[in-house]
Amino acid sequence: HTATVFGATGFLGRYIVHRLASRGCTVVVPFREEMAKRHLKVTGDLGRVVFMEYDLRNTPSLEESVRHSDIVYNLVGRDYPTKNFDLEDVNVEGAERIAEAVAKYDIDRFIHMSSYNADKNSSSAFYRTKGRGEEVVRSIFPETTIVRPAPVFGFEDKLLHKLAGQANLFTSNHMQERFWPVHSIDIGSALAVMAEDDSTAAETYELYGPKNYSMAEIATMVDREIIKHRRHINLPPRVLKRLSELYNRFIWWSQTCADKVEREFIDQKIDPKAKTFQDLGIEPAEIANYTFHYLQSYRSSSFYDLPPATEREKREEKKYLHVIDDQ
């Protein structure tokens, strides 16, 4: 097969590119920045990973990227606005152009990465544009497979690493947002299965982990693993939204935005009609089993070689196993 993976230079892209290329597929990787795609060159044998420069607003470059492919993945997404692209430009209009290119060349399969809570009536602009994007691609290419991943954890995530870092200081809902975190490797495996299983066409998949957590519970887990306490200051949403707008005027990288503050008040909702990992034959991983693996580097040198937090707790418990309450 020949597969085109839009958004391959992002967080989830490397996991699906590696799986496709290692199985013998030729993978076309459209890119915008030269330095952002270098790590993908070694994910497959020589000649298996092909790079093509593109622009999301340039329709001919999109068509050139998909014209020889059997399957197209759209992993392009943005959860914060920039001066060049707002959420509508990326999540709706960009998805529309890619779907039109897929329909023009009658590609066999099209897999569109959306988001959990995607809803055109949502109070969050991100969820709202993701919901509209789903409707647009399905109207253009009815056999589109839509994937809605929960918040993802992994080596380059914005969940565990954000909570372990020092910059995550302000919050607005006492970190009470609830969701089912999912492993990035499980998402990559699911996307690879969809490429080989034609029964996944025209289906919607909600991909989420086995256990529901609040953000505060995960923050506690992270603090226990890195053996540090990260302080979080709760501010009213009106204040934090305004602070986010001012903050973004002075830095060019994404730290927070008003819509991210709004999303802190929206819990993850699962569509009961959507299919899940179970329909793909995949058992999702539990985040508690991977915190040590991903967060060990945040420990100080004094505690770096200590075993995982769960193992330490087991050792502490063993000290008191000989004590019987009724004696």
Side-chain angles (χ1 to χ4, degrees):
H1 296 292
T2 300
T4 298
V5 183
F6 289 98
T9 57
F11 172 34
L12 291 174
R14 68 187 65 194
Y15 298 98
I16 182 58
V17 171
H18 169 68
R19 278 165 175 74
L20 294 174
S22 63
R23 296 179 182 185
C25 293
T26 299
V27 185
V28 179
V29 177
F31 71 95
R32 292 192 303 155
E33 298 180 14
E34 184 72 27
M35 299 296 288
K37 50 89 171 173
R38 295 187 305 166
H39 62 282
L40 297 173
K41 188 67 176 178
V42 296
T43 55
D45 290 339
L46 185 64
R48 287 299 179 187
V49 183
V50 181
F51 299 100
M52 297 188 65
E53 191 169 3
Y54 89 112
D55 189 313
L56 195 58
R57 293 192 176 103
N58 188 326
T59 301
S61 69
L62 298 175
E63 294 177 352
E64 186 63 27
S65 299
V66 306
R67 60 183 301 182
H68 299 294
S69 296
D70 306 304
I71 181 170
V72 174
Y73 292 87
N74 177 27
L75 308 185
V76 177
R78 180 64 58 83
D79 65 349
Y80 62 94
T82 64
K83 66 177 182 180
N84 294 322
F85 291 91
D86 59 23
L87 299 178
E88 184 81 12
D89 293 335
V90 179
N91 299 333
V92 181
E93 296 178 6
E96 181 180 11
R97 293 191 186 96
I98 293 174
E100 288 174 345
V102 169
K104 178 178 179 179
Y105 289 97
D106 194 22
I107 307 300
D108 294 337
R109 296 294 310 283
F110 179 43
I111 300 175
H112 175 71
M113 180 70 72
S114 184
S115 170
Y116 69 102
N117 287 351
D119 181 4
K120 64 178 181 179
N121 298 316
S122 175
S123 59
S124 164
F126 173 69
Y127 296 148
R128 193 163 58 246
T129 54
K130 279 295 187 179
R132 292 184 56 204
E134 290 183 2
E135 288 188 349
V136 167
V137 297
R138 274 274 170 85
S139 65
I140 297 173
F141 196 81
E143 295 183 352
T144 300
T145 302
I146 292 177
V147 181
R148 298 172 180 164
V152 184
F153 66 91
F155 270 117
E156 312 85 10
D157 69 17
K158 297 180 181 178
L159 178 59
L160 295 178
H161 294 286
K162 180 180 179 181
L163 293 172
Q166 298 180 3
N168 185 40
L169 181 61
F170 299 110
T171 183
S172 187
N173 190 28
H174 298 281
M175 307 181 76
Q176 294 306 303
E177 173 196 359
R178 302 198 67 88
F179 50 87
W180 285 264
V182 64
H183 199 192
S184 56
I185 293 178
D186 292 334
I187 297 292
S189 298
L191 294 175
V193 170
M194 292 175 188
E196 300 175 349
D197 187 355
D198 290 339
S199 67
T200 61
E203 298 288 352
T204 298
Y205 287 85
E206 292 265 8
L207 302 183
Y208 54 92
K211 188 174 179 180
N212 182 270
Y213 290 91
S214 70
M215 188 69 79
E217 291 170 345
I218 297 179
T220 301
M221 188 189 307
V222 169
D223 287 351
R224 187 174 66 247
E225 197 64 75
I226 66 177
I227 318 179
K228 295 177 182 177
H229 176 65
R230 297 304 191 194
R231 186 181 181 188
H232 304 284
I233 301 174
N234 197 79
L235 297 176
R238 183 180 302 177
V239 175
L240 188 53
K241 286 181 179 181
R242 180 58 179 166
L243 184 63
S244 301
E245 293 174 357
L246 295 175
Y247 191 65
N248 288 330
R249 292 182 181 180
F250 298 98
I251 61 172
W252 60 267
W253 63 91
S254 170
Q255 186 62 39
T256 186
C257 68
D259 194 65
K260 288 184 179 181
V261 177
E262 180 66 29
R263 295 200 293 272
E264 291 186 24
F265 293 85
I266 305 176
D267 295 338
Q268 182 182 358
K269 297 178 182 178
I270 305 298
D271 183 359
K273 298 179 181 179
K275 293 188 175 182
T276 63
F277 278 119
Q278 185 177 2
D279 298 284
L280 299 172
I282 298 173
E283 185 69 27
E286 164 63 44
I287 188 173
N289 298 330
Y290 288 88
T291 52
F292 175 77
H293 185 58
Y294 293 128
L295 298 176
Q296 186 182 16
S297 61
Y298 287 93
R299 293 180 173 186
S300 67
S301 58
S302 302
F303 305 107
Y304 187 83
D305 292 328
L306 287 180
T310 52
E311 294 296 328
R312 282 203 314 277
E313 291 167 356
K314 290 178 181 178
R315 291 183 182 182
E316 291 297 320
E317 290 174 0
K318 287 181 181 179
K319 294 180 181 179
Y320 307 102
L321 288 178
H322 66 284
V323 178
I324 302 178
D325 294 337
D326 59 357
Q327 285 185 349

